[in-house]
Amino acid sequence: MQIVRGKKLEKASDGEFQRLVEESSRVVVDVGTGDARASYRIAKENPSWLVVGVDPAWQRMTQTSIRSRRKPAKGGVPNLLLVNSSIENAPAELLGAADELLVLMPWGKLLHGLVRGDEDIWSGLRSVAKPNAPLTATVGTSIWREPVPRDIQGLPELTRPYVDEVLSAKALACGWKVTDFQLTRAEEAAAVSSSWARRLDAASTEVIATLTAVAAGADAEGRPAEAGR
């Protein structure tokens, strides 16, 4: 497992991740964490949790890593671990470790795979989840408004009919049962005071698509717990 320590990328020491898991009450994996600020806030607000930010672009996480490694009195959060990886190639230590997964305002391959229901992305998410672990994914719907960014052109819009008729079946084939889909204005989301909502300006006109799902267990509908590997 490659982790970010300050400005450096290093190999985690033997047993390091397992020790952190054993010391925590819950393992939350923030997939596509970007600059890891949301992961940092969640870790700071929940000191008994282990929050794992995962992103293939490790340089974006360095400033948050530097901040997290300070003394707690100066903003340090020892329960934050930043991992350099894509979810479709998650390190062995993460497999089956997550009590909860977050995909918050993704971009690039992660966004495309999440929305299209690509097997490598959804199976990758499933590979790190414990049975019955919840997944929350949020996407800003303004990306589908004109002028549509070139990277998004042709990407299906997240709507309830699309989720019900297309995406739910693809997710289920990868071991995820979609449980809800909601469209919420940013001002309403910010009022909830959740860590991910704070990425948005409360005065924004953005509408947030929130998809929730649960990882199928061995005796649940869909693939068994080991789906995706």
Side-chain angles (χ1 to χ4, degrees):
M1 176 187 287
Q2 296 290 316
I3 62 175
V4 182
R5 296 193 202 274
K7 295 182 179 181
K8 297 181 179 180
L9 184 64
E10 301 179 358
K11 187 179 185 299
S13 59
D14 291 343
E16 179 177 357
F17 179 72
Q18 186 58 38
R19 176 182 58 78
L20 291 171
V21 170
E22 292 172 355
E23 293 174 352
S24 67
S25 63
R26 186 173 185 81
V27 178
V28 177
V29 177
D30 179 15
V31 180
T33 190
D35 61 18
R37 291 181 183 179
S39 292
Y40 173 90
R41 284 194 292 265
I42 296 169
K44 189 172 180 62
E45 292 171 3
N46 301 278
S48 69
W49 295 3
L50 172 61
V51 180
V52 183
V54 179
D55 202 286
W58 70 271
Q59 294 90 343
R60 295 187 61 195
M61 298 186 278
T62 55
Q63 290 304 309
T64 297
S65 178
I66 292 170
R67 185 182 183 190
S68 72
R69 291 172 61 79
R70 297 171 182 166
K71 294 180 179 179
K74 295 185 178 181
V77 283
N79 58 318
L80 175 64
L81 187 70
L82 301 179
V83 177
N84 177 221
S85 176
S86 62
I87 193 59
E88 59 270 31
N89 294 294
E93 294 92 332
L94 283 183
L95 302 184
D99 294 293
E100 180 178 357
L101 284 89
L102 305 172
V103 182
L104 309 178
M105 314 301 276
W107 198 252
K109 188 178 189 299
L110 181 59
L111 170 64
H112 283 254
L114 179 79
V115 172
R116 290 192 307 240
D118 290 353
E119 183 178 2
D120 61 343
I121 296 297
W122 280 89
S123 292
L125 291 168
R126 182 63 190 86
S127 73
V128 304
K130 292 179 180 178
N132 303 312
L135 164 69
T136 301
T138 62
V139 176
T141 63
S142 63
I143 60 174
W144 287 287
R145 308 294 173 254
E146 295 294 342
V148 178
R150 180 177 299 179
D151 291 345
I152 306 302
Q153 291 176 9
L155 184 67
E157 183 172 355
L158 271 183
T159 63
R160 182 172 292 279
Y162 174 75
V163 171
D164 291 345
E165 298 168 13
V166 179
L167 187 57
S168 290
K170 291 185 175 182
L172 187 60
C174 297
W176 288 99
K177 183 174 177 59
V178 173
T179 55
D180 196 16
F181 176 78
Q182 298 289 336
L183 295 173
T184 309
R185 292 193 177 279
E187 58 185 3
E188 298 170 3
V192 176
S193 288
S194 64
S195 292
W196 65 263
R198 291 176 198 165
R199 290 187 179 184
L200 302 167
D201 185 338
S204 171
T205 59
E206 178 70 280
V207 174
I208 307 301
T210 301
L211 179 77
T212 57
V214 63
D219 58 351
E221 184 180 8
R223 287 191 179 184
E226 66 269 23
R229 288 288 176 191

